[in-house]
Amino acid sequence: MSFVEYGDTIKDGDTAIVFLGHESMFPVKVQHGTVTQTKYGVIRHSTDLIGKKYGSKVTCSKGGWVFILHPTPELWTMNLPHRTQILYSTDISIITMMLELKPGSIVCESGTGSGSLSHAVIRTVAPTGHLYTVEFHQQRAEKAREEFREHGVEHLVTVTNQDVCKNGFGVSNIADAVFLDIPSPWEAIGHAKSALKAEGGRICSFSPCIEQVQRTCLAMEECGFTEINTLEILLRVYNVRTISLQIPDLGKATEDNSSIGFDSSNPSNQGSLSANLQQGSVQFKSGVPLREMVGHTGYLTFATKS
């Protein structure tokens, strides 16, 4: 099993996604002799998982069933253990596009955090590219290194435990793109410039506060970056509902009432007129936005090394 190469069958040691529903799923490490508890009953790894095909429908001990899915960066983003706040698919998609990532790209990242963006970048630059990711926190760096090894992508990523603002990325003039997700990105702009290739490299900085963006943009200008722009990506989800609307009366009822001497100004006749205008309704499907939505996540500032 690898996050960048699809495998047909579930093997001992794989990371798989147990899918109970669109709002309920979780990762599990497949191990011989281990069981996993769900609300539908027990899943026995030895008999229910190992050797079965990914995507199989597995019946639990209580008679309920789940699907076992092959892991992808998208599924991992929704199910990973949170060690830090993470980037989600809305921001990740624009980052990979605006940084112009493709197979073979060399990318520098700081900080690694929970590895949400890291997995997406690795999948994008595989099989010949490489990710150099820097994490200040030692335990988080060690855990990320362990996860990359378990997910079969350790040959595509190098994890370094150091302060990027003081020590940089450990590489020079080779990166096609740099991504910063740290509290003070303006302190790392100089190191980012040193890591980027001689000309045309792209940089992105993610910051939740506009004051951070302002200082980062000033640092980018001082270091000679061009095409500096900041984006905020907002996701608006729609629910499909069945709604009912009255059939409009285009005047026929009024004409009919007039022809028989119907006095609409008489209060006693108002109820009868209303009944005629509301003779029927029609139901149809409509997209309705959620009453509450996930709004601001952060600002994405992009620039190009000139």
Side-chain angles (χ1 to χ4, degrees), residues 152-208:
V153 296
E154 72 276 9
H155 62 292
L156 296 170
V157 57
T158 299
V159 182
T160 305
N161 172 218
Q162 64 187 28
D163 185 351
V164 71
C165 296
K166 294 180 179 179
N167 307 115
F169 293 94
V171 297
S172 299
N173 302 318
I174 65 169
D176 297 290
V178 170
F179 176 78
L180 299 174
D181 183 5
I182 54 178
S184 52
W186 55 90
E187 296 181 359
I189 297 300
H191 293 296
K193 183 178 181 180
S194 298
L196 286 168
K197 60 187 181 181
E199 186 178 0
R202 294 279 287 167
I203 184 174
C204 174
S205 174
F206 176 89
S207 296

Side-chain angles (χ1 to χ4, degrees), residues 6-170:
Y6 183 79
D8 288 331
T9 59
I10 305 169
K11 298 181 177 62
D12 189 13
D14 281 4
T15 297
I17 306 298
V18 180
F19 180 89
L20 293 83
H22 289 288
E23 302 297 328
S24 179
M25 50 183 138
F26 59 89
V28 62
K29 184 174 181 180
V30 179
Q31 293 178 311
H32 185 79
T34 302
V35 298
T36 296
Q37 296 283 349
T38 73
K39 63 182 179 180
Y40 301 127
V42 172
I43 301 174
R44 295 175 176 82
H45 294 200
S46 299
T47 56
D48 297 333
L49 299 184
I50 297 176
K52 300 290 182 64
K53 286 190 174 183
Y54 278 106
S56 296
K57 183 177 178 179
V58 173
T59 303
C60 304
S61 60
K62 293 182 180 179
W65 47 267
V66 299
F67 288 104
I68 308 299
L69 306 181
H70 193 285
T72 64
E74 291 80 9
L75 289 174
W76 186 245
T77 290
M78 292 188 288
N79 295 282
L80 59 78
H82 285 227
R83 300 183 288 274
T84 60
Q85 181 59 267
I86 69 169
L87 290 175
Y88 290 92
S89 299
T90 307
D91 289 317
I92 291 173
S93 59
I94 197 72
I95 290 169
T96 55
M97 183 187 76
M98 294 294 286
L99 288 182
E100 302 174 4
L101 302 186
K102 58 186 181 300
S105 294
I106 306 297
V107 184
C108 292
E109 173 197 31
S110 183
T112 312
S114 300
S116 175
L117 176 65
S118 304
H119 282 81
V121 170
I122 290 169
R123 197 260 306 271
T124 303
V125 304
T128 56
H130 200 84
L131 171 66
Y132 294 90
T133 182
V134 178
E135 173 57 50
F136 175 79
H137 193 277
Q138 182 179 357
Q139 290 181 331
R140 287 201 293 263
E142 292 174 353
K143 185 61 179 177
R145 194 178 290 113
E146 177 186 342
E147 285 180 350
F148 292 141
R149 183 172 57 254
E150 291 178 351
H151 297 165
V153 296
E154 72 276 9
H155 62 292
L156 296 170
V157 57
T158 299
V159 182
T160 305
N161 172 218
Q162 64 187 28
D163 185 351
V164 71
C165 296
K166 294 180 179 179
N167 307 115
F169 293 94

Side-chain angles (χ1 to χ4, degrees), residues 242-248 280-284 286:
T242 300
I243 64 174
S244 179
L245 290 180
Q246 295 172 358
I247 298 175
S281 62
V282 62
Q283 292 184 336
F284 62 94
S286 177

